[in-house]
Amino acid sequence: MLALSSYGDKSKPALVMLHGFLGAQTDWQAILEQLTDQFYCVCIDLPGHGLSPSLTLPTPGFDLIAKHIQAAIDSLSIEKYHLLGYSLGGRIALHLARNNTQKLLSLSLESCHPGLPTLEEKQLRAKNDLSWSKKLTDLPIEAFLALWYQQGVFAELSNEARQQLIEKRRHNNPVGLLNIYQASSLAEQGNLWEMPASLPFPCHYIVGGDDSKFLALATRWQQQSPVKLSVVKQAGHNVHLAAPQEYSNWLIQTLIEDK
């Protein structure tokens, strides 16, 4: 069973929260105090992260990961829930939503990719992921993290913020990380750009104004699909870390409107 923590009054609407790659359920701590006034919050450690076990996963492994997450939710006797996912957690949330449409009240995505549309893009991504997999296998975890947080998508991080993340993430198990990284590669993910049109509940997307790659992607997605987009200025890829107050306000207002 995947590790989880729950916060707030169980009689309130449930909000299930999925962190990103290298993260943990504790990543949501900065916004929980505000959210629990309105929601029963459930924070889950993805496989190979935090206190969750490392699972043997097929490639692609999205559906099996989603199945384990739904089992963890079911263990709390939750019938219906709002779903929130950041980055990798958002991509997994897309699969969880697709496979459990009758259980969701809404889907909220943060800095999340709906899939690569062309074979050429997938081949380039597979090559890139193979390089990162080798680094994760061969390097000490601190060296891997130092390289990971130098990627362009994290360009807004200060040196101090980057070092804090490295310190926070260095306790991860490289074997568990490698397993889920390969099983949930964007190169292996299907094209989910059209999926929101088939969902019987609202789909929301939040992105940082300084995250040019995902801002462009989210804008394009909104133009061709029923995705409600919100942009937070002076925030990068990790919006809930950069602007917890604004993020919390957005989430509460958005989900209350969905009732």
Side-chain angles (χ1 to χ4, degrees):
M1 179 70 73
L2 298 181
L4 59 80
S5 296
S6 56
Y7 305 85
D9 184 347
K10 197 169 183 178
S11 68
K12 293 180 178 178
L15 170 61
V16 174
M17 308 165 79
L18 305 179
H19 62 78
F21 181 61
L22 299 173
Q25 56 177 286
T26 51
D27 288 359
W28 302 108
Q29 286 293 332
I31 64 174
L32 283 175
E33 186 175 351
Q34 274 188 276
L35 296 179
T36 50
D37 286 341
Q38 303 285 343
F39 304 103
Y40 175 60
C41 297
V42 179
C43 306
I44 299 176
D45 281 332
L46 296 179
H49 291 73
L51 300 176
S52 283
S54 174
L55 302 177
T56 301
L57 298 166
T59 301
F62 292 101
D63 288 341
L64 184 55
I65 296 168
K67 186 176 179 180
H68 280 282
I69 292 171
Q70 186 58 53
I73 297 167
D74 289 342
S75 74
L76 297 176
S77 300
I78 293 172
E79 293 185 9
K80 291 255 190 182
Y81 57 91
H82 296 283
L83 180 60
L84 167 66
Y86 160 63
S87 198
L88 169 61
R91 294 196 289 116
I92 291 170
L94 279 166
H95 292 80
L96 184 61
R98 182 184 65 182
N99 298 347
N100 298 276
T101 54
Q102 75 285 1
K103 294 182 180 291
L104 265 69
L105 299 167
S106 71
L107 174 63
S108 296
L109 305 166
E110 175 189 354
S111 309
C112 149
H113 205 305
L116 298 171
T118 69
L119 180 60
E120 182 182 9
E121 287 174 291
K122 289 189 174 188
Q123 289 173 336
L124 284 171
R125 179 61 183 232
K127 185 178 179 181
N128 183 63
D129 282 355
L130 185 62
S131 173
W132 280 110
S133 294
K134 192 173 187 321
K135 292 181 178 72
L136 187 53
T137 301
D138 296 344
L139 297 175
I141 187 68
E142 291 88 348
F144 170 81
L145 292 169
L147 290 172
W148 182 265
Y149 287 117
Q150 289 294 337
Q151 292 182 93
V153 75
F154 300 113
E156 85 284 352
L157 292 175
S158 66
N159 287 334
E160 182 182 5
R162 192 171 283 112
Q163 282 304 126
Q164 287 174 348
L165 279 172
I166 292 171
E167 177 62 27
K168 188 176 182 180
R169 308 303 196 203
R170 69 183 183 86
H171 304 291
N172 277 304
N173 179 351
V175 175
L177 294 177
L178 183 64
N179 199 343
I180 190 171
Y181 183 73
Q182 293 174 331
S184 61
S185 165
L186 186 57
E188 300 290 341
Q189 180 178 313
N191 185 338
L192 301 177
W193 285 76
E194 301 299 327
M195 198 191 87
S198 67
L199 297 176
F201 44 78
C203 182
H204 307 282
Y205 196 110
I206 188 167
V207 65
D210 294 339
D211 185 356
S212 57
K213 175 183 175 180
F214 280 84
L215 178 58
L217 181 151
T219 302
R220 192 163 76 249
W221 199 10
Q222 183 192 39
Q223 290 168 351
Q224 66 184 63
S225 206
V227 176
K228 300 176 184 178
L229 176 61
S230 297
V231 181
V232 177
K233 295 179 181 177
Q234 297 181 320
H237 192 64
N238 191 330
V239 187
H240 64 272
L241 177 66
Q245 182 74 45
E246 190 169 350
Y247 189 96
S248 302
N249 291 341
W250 163 78
L251 192 59
I252 292 168
Q253 182 178 354
T254 297
L255 300 189
I256 286 176
E257 286 176 357
D258 286 346
K259 285 182 180 179

